[in-house]
Amino acid sequence: MSSGLFFTQLINGLSMGALLFFLASGFTLIFGLMRIVNLAHGSFYLLGGYAGFTTAAVTGNLWLAILAGTAVAGVIGLTTERMLLRHVRGDANAEVLVTIGVTFILADVALAIWGGNPRTVDVPEYLSGPLRLGDFFYPRYRIFIIVLAILMAIGLYLLQNRTRVGAVVRAGVDDREMVSAMGININRVFTGVFIFGACLAGFAGVIGGGLLSLLPGGEFEILLLSLVVVIIGGLGSLSGAVIGSLLVGLIDAFGRAFVPDLSYFTLFGPMALVLVLWPRGLFGKES
Amino acid sequence: MAGATRPLPALSRIARLKASLLIAAVVVGFTLPQFLPSWQINLLSLILIMGLFAMSVDLLGGYTGLVSMGHAGILGVAAYGVGYVSARLAGPHSQQIVVGLLAGMAVTFIFGIMAMRTTEIYFIMVTLAQGMVVWGLAFRLSPITGGDSGLRAVLRPEAVSAYWQWYYLVLSVLLACSALLFIVVRSPFGLVLKGIREGEGRMNMLGYNTTFYKLYVFMVAGFFASVAGVLFAYHDQFVSPAVSGILMSAGAVLAMILGGAGTLVGPLIGATVVATFQNVVSQFTLFWGSLLGFVFIGVIIFARKGLIGALSVWWERKEAGRSTQVQ
């Protein structure tokens, strides 16, 4: 393999991993605190992305699009948590099944509003095209995503470990009863974390909408990738999300390049291996 | 021996009721083709196949507490096995069926090995991913699966090609499989499954290798899902990626919960509702998925015990009323 092709796939893999990190971090955060596996996460991504697409098409501003996509996903997250999940709190199976029902509904909402054609979020001039470094050309937008993900990872780490809100959330992960006994309204924390996770998914949707196309069924593709990330990395762990995203992004990129017909299978193998050896993922905690 | 002289206990009222309902259902089932038009009999065949599939999901979800969200992956692989031998290799029916069942069981084994050490939500997540991988491969491996357009011309065997012959075959297979499933859930093995559902840790402490039992029950459920897959391929005479799709898996889980998880009969009734609903509603609207979503959420939030659960509560109340009257 030529080194040029290798670097291209490396950047593809890293940027895909970066995109998956936005999704997986929200997914894992929601699970860590609330023990809910939010299978509507892919739909939050898709609807956020579509909202970003429309905003970018109207205003021509990517940052406004990101804001709009994040906000739309946040509102959907709020509605899901307040109206539906609250009624089945504590029953793990019921919670997961409700989020699957939400997925079906949101899929039709997206289809009714944005139709079946693939959509791509417009990327401004200064972020498109290649960036030349030495002998190699890198796509600017992919570099942009990678930088964003690094900033996001640092930001999330600081938020979780250096702030009061982070301390409350960490305490909630360990013992929710004790947190509510300390006078903290745990229900409000739950809602907040769920919205935050949904916002991350919507954010990922707009960013991903500039990289991949948004189309019906896309929520399941991205959900599968996120599931594989958290299955490999371990649910509820931020470091697991980082490592899992990187692994899955790289496997996916190199798999698509070399065995395009089997691109799903290249993910399946590592997932199977991890599940047999570490059923809770590389960084998952025993519960 | 006291036990030898003890007379057989008289059947309780509920057991007599159940037995007469069963006999009535079988008699009605076998006479229906005399009265109903062909399209309704075709719908009934589909309902019975979906029912078998939902019962297989119930063995895992209702009895063992392992809700599979990717069960259609197994059904799909079995259906594609039949379709591949039929459409691509032009093999005889016996070969089609054997390949379909073997392919289904092989995939079940791989999926089972992956899922056997997981519990609850992890199990849902892993099986969901498995089902989605099969669905994705069905689209992408077009040399084998025909991609989006699927495999056509999967012909039924000559002897069951007419709609009513096909219905009788499906009904017979369903009855045989239901009998087997009832034996399974009433056996000591079935009790171990319920034990795992109620508390896997305790079963481990009692010396049961629950990982092995979970793989075992996954294989048993996979066998019935494969049978449903083979029937499905011949029913539609066409195999497309949708057979392994998430709507299929979710439809079976909905049928299970709607009818009553852990009852076997419930999922069969649930499948009747779901398949009829799907068939009728999809003629009027493209947005079948979101309607399924609303029903799904409604049932989970408001009626988690399902129809059979509600009925048994009603019966117990009635019986309690009777016994107080007698006193």
Side-chain angles (χ1 to χ4, degrees):
Chain A
M1 174 160 80
S2 75
S3 60
L5 182 64
F6 177 81
F7 274 108
T8 308
Q9 294 311 329
L10 186 67
I11 294 293
N12 284 351
L14 289 178
S15 52
M16 190 65 199
L19 180 62
L20 290 176
F21 172 71
F22 299 136
L23 277 155
S25 55
F27 198 90
T28 219
L29 198 67
I30 292 175
F31 177 82
L33 182 68
M34 305 167 76
R35 301 280 134 185
I36 290 177
V37 174
N38 176 29
L39 295 181
H41 217 64
S43 307
F44 295 174
Y45 165 93
L46 190 69
L47 275 138
Y50 274 135
F53 156 77
T54 302
T55 314
V58 172
T59 65
N61 188 326
L62 182 67
W63 302 100
L64 273 181
I66 291 178
L67 208 64
T70 310
V72 164
V75 171
I76 300 173
L78 170 72
T79 318
T80 308
E81 207 276 333
R82 275 288 164 97
M83 283 182 56
L84 303 174
L85 287 173
R86 191 143 288 191
H87 297 286
V88 288
R89 173 135 307 146
D91 184 337
N93 281 344
E95 285 167 339
V96 185
L97 295 176
V98 163
T99 63
I100 290 179
V102 171
T103 305
F104 293 153
I105 296 169
L106 291 182
D108 276 355
V109 169
L111 188 64
I113 301 179
W114 285 282
N117 292 328
R119 310 283 191 178
T120 313
V121 176
D122 282 334
V123 174
E125 197 75 21
Y126 58 88
L127 283 177
S128 43
L131 177 76
R132 195 179 161 172
L133 283 178
D135 286 343
F136 296 111
F137 292 96
Y138 298 106
R140 282 172 203 241
Y141 192 65
R142 289 186 180 270
I143 302 286
F144 167 69
I145 298 178
I146 296 171
V147 173
L148 268 186
I150 295 171
L151 293 178
M152 178 75 80
I154 297 171
L156 283 177
Y157 175 81
L158 292 178
L159 186 69
Q160 207 174 28
N161 293 296
R162 294 276 186 278
T163 65
R164 209 184 126 72
V165 176
V168 170
V169 170
R170 271 183 295 137
V173 169
D174 286 339
D175 193 336
R176 13 176 144 161
E177 274 92 30
M178 193 51 91
V179 173
S180 20
M182 304 280 284
I184 289 163
N185 185 343
I186 194 78
N187 268 331
R188 199 171 293 169
V189 181
F190 278 180
T191 310
V193 164
F194 198 85
I195 294 173
F196 186 67
C199 284
L200 281 172
F203 176 82
V206 185
I207 302 290
L211 188 67
L212 321 159
S213 325
L214 302 162
L215 74 171
E219 71 268 50
F220 290 119
E221 300 252 342
I222 209 79
L223 175 66
L224 174 63
L225 291 174
S226 324
L227 280 178
V228 178
V229 167
V230 293
I231 288 172
I232 289 181
L235 263 176
S237 144
L238 201 57
S239 2
V242 173
I243 301 294
S245 309
L246 278 176
L247 275 175
V248 172
L250 289 170
I251 293 170
D252 187 55
F254 283 95
R256 274 174 207 271
F258 298 119
V259 276
D261 284 347
L262 291 177
S263 57
Y264 266 61
F265 213 70
T266 49
L267 286 174
F268 195 70
M271 181 176 91
L273 193 69
V274 168
L275 275 170
V276 171
L277 296 177
W278 304 277
R280 301 214 167 248
L282 298 176
F283 288 80
K285 289 180 205 158
E286 287 295 324
S287 73
Chain B
M1 291 280 287
T5 51
R6 198 194 298 156
L8 275 172
L11 284 174
S12 68
R13 274 163 50 83
I14 184 80
R16 264 181 292 161
L17 184 72
K18 276 181 185 169
S20 29
L21 276 178
L22 177 68
I23 293 166
V26 172
V27 170
V28 169
F30 272 99
T31 47
L32 276 177
Q34 309 290 330
F35 310 110
L36 297 181
S38 62
W39 73 270
Q40 288 184 2
I41 293 299
N42 272 329
L43 178 57
L44 269 178
S45 305
L46 178 70
I47 286 172
L48 295 180
I49 297 171
M50 289 300 294
L52 174 59
F53 181 55
M55 286 163 106
S56 155
V57 170
D58 192 31
L59 181 65
L60 282 175
Y63 286 93
T64 324
L66 302 168
V67 180
S68 167
M69 277 312 292
H71 220 51
I74 296 167
L75 177 131
V77 168
Y80 270 111
V82 170
Y84 182 72
V85 176
S86 168
R88 293 287 150 92
L89 307 180
H93 281 103
S94 55
Q95 202 182 340
Q96 294 168 18
I97 295 169
V98 169
V99 169
L101 291 179
L102 283 182
M105 292 312 290
V107 167
T108 305
F109 183 69
I110 298 169
F111 285 4
I113 295 275
M114 288 170 69
M116 66 184 179
R117 285 173 68 188
T118 60
T119 50
E120 276 207 336
I121 30 186
Y122 288 88
F123 185 84
I124 297 183
M125 234 168 59
V126 170
T127 48
L128 178 69
Q130 291 168 340
M132 283 183 349
V133 166
V134 172
W135 181 74
L137 283 175
F139 273 110
R140 284 175 176 74
L141 285 180
S142 38
I144 296 172
T145 63
D148 209 0
S149 42
L151 296 170
R152 291 180 185 283
V154 184
L155 295 179
R156 292 174 193 165
E158 195 70 39
V160 289
S161 54
Y163 76 91
W164 56 274
Q165 294 168 324
W166 176 245
Y167 169 77
Y168 280 129
L169 177 79
V170 171
L171 182 60
S172 314
V173 172
L174 178 89
L175 286 176
C177 289
S178 317
L180 285 175
L181 277 164
F182 269 101
I183 294 171
V184 167
V185 298
R186 270 141 208 261
S187 66
F189 173 64
L191 281 177
V192 176
L193 299 184
K194 287 180 200 166
I196 292 175
R197 179 186 69 194
E198 298 303 326
E200 192 178 340
R202 290 182 209 169
M203 291 303 281
N204 261 324
M205 302 284 259
L206 287 171
Y208 289 96
N209 182 349
T210 53
T211 306
F212 165 77
Y213 276 100
K214 279 154 78 179
L215 178 62
Y216 193 0
V217 69
F218 201 84
M219 294 294 289
V220 176
F223 170 74
F224 290 107
S226 304
V227 172
V230 170
L231 290 176
F232 206 86
Y234 289 125
H235 179 81
D236 275 357
Q237 315 208 24
F238 166 63
V239 186
S240 75
V243 294
S244 56
I246 182 168
L247 278 175
M248 190 83 173
S249 299
V253 172
L254 175 62
M256 171 183 85
I257 300 171
L258 192 65
T263 60
L264 286 182
V265 177
L268 190 58
I269 299 170
T272 312
V273 178
V274 173
T276 311
F277 188 66
Q278 178 172 16
N279 226 274
V280 173
V281 170
S282 60
Q283 289 171 6
F284 298 105
T285 171
L286 280 173
F287 298 110
W288 145 246
S290 52
L291 276 170
L292 180 84
F294 279 113
V295 177
F296 208 97
I297 294 174
V299 166
I300 290 159
I301 293 182
F302 298 110
R304 226 173 310 162
K305 283 194 160 177
L307 201 62
I308 297 283
L311 272 179
S312 63
V313 168
W314 171 79
W315 179 267
E316 270 159 30
R317 272 201 202 130
K318 199 173 153 244
E319 286 294 278
R322 261 170 55 89
S323 56
T324 46
Q325 271 171 10
V326 171
Q327 285 163 3

